[in-house]
Amino acid sequence: MPVVFPWEKRELEKIAAEIGVKLHFKPLQAFIDRNGVCAITLYRWEIQGFCPFFDKASKRCSIHDDKPLACRMYPLLIEMPSGNLMASGKCDWIKQQGPRFIRQLSTKPETIPEVFPAEFEAAKKAFIEFTTINSFIERHGLQPINVNKLNNCNEVFDIDDYMARFD
């Protein structure tokens, strides 16, 4: 279940609508300002079974150029907010490489960009987006709010729409 930014969620919903697919997302992280206005920063994309954009015949992603950063960076994972980068042990390709390869990645993390160049670039972009959002949140004094309490907010925005109000 990938984690996506709000603008990625909207793009996925647009593509899904064009092909008649329904997607399910749940807010994962949100913040509230002193006026009771909430901003959702991350969504969890809830996928039942196969990704609806996975073409079973070709065994490829049908939206490869438009897929979210979480998918582009896989099998790399970013631990937030620390920014620690790791490789997923659930990835079939990594499993096939064996324990020696996994030890190499953990003992020599500087090899990750060489082994996974495109994925590393996507991870960098996701980290930059995340830190940019967090910097804005800190500057504007927003506080975390439980996503199950968003109905208590005076208004709810996606973080990019919330941030645009300050431009």
Side-chain angles (χ1 to χ4, degrees), residues 137-154:
I137 287 167
E138 286 178 19
R139 280 193 321 274
H140 292 273
L142 279 75
Q143 298 298 313
I145 184 171
N146 183 316
V147 295
N148 295 321
K149 296 185 177 188
L150 290 175
N151 57 344
N152 296 337
C153 301
N154 293 332

Side-chain angles (χ1 to χ4, degrees), residues 81-133:
S82 71
N84 290 333
L85 186 65
M86 60 198 105
S88 173
K90 294 182 180 182
C91 171
D92 290 337
W93 184 83
I94 289 177
K95 285 183 202 173
Q96 291 168 358
Q97 304 313 303
R100 184 171 170 220
F101 177 73
I102 294 169
R103 273 194 306 280
Q104 175 198 342
L105 291 177
S106 63
T107 59
K108 292 188 174 190
E110 65 274 9
T111 63
I112 290 174
E114 298 166 19
V115 177
F116 303 104
E119 294 84 353
F120 184 74
E121 286 303 313
K124 279 192 337 189
K125 186 171 182 181
F127 184 73
I128 289 167
E129 295 286 347
F130 185 81
T131 55
T132 300
I133 290 167

Side-chain angles (χ1 to χ4, degrees), residues 10-23 53 63 66:
R10 290 192 301 271
E11 182 63 25
L12 289 167
E13 288 172 329
K14 179 181 161 194
I15 296 168
E18 291 171 3
I19 61 171
V21 173
K22 179 86 171 121
L23 303 180
F53 301 115
I63 62 162
D66 297 313

Side-chain angles (χ1 to χ4, degrees), residues 63-79:
I63 62 162
H64 184 76
D65 294 337
D66 297 313
K67 64 186 179 180
L69 289 168
C71 297
R72 289 175 192 230
M73 61 188 264
Y74 188 80
L76 300 182
L77 306 170
I78 304 174
E79 181 183 73

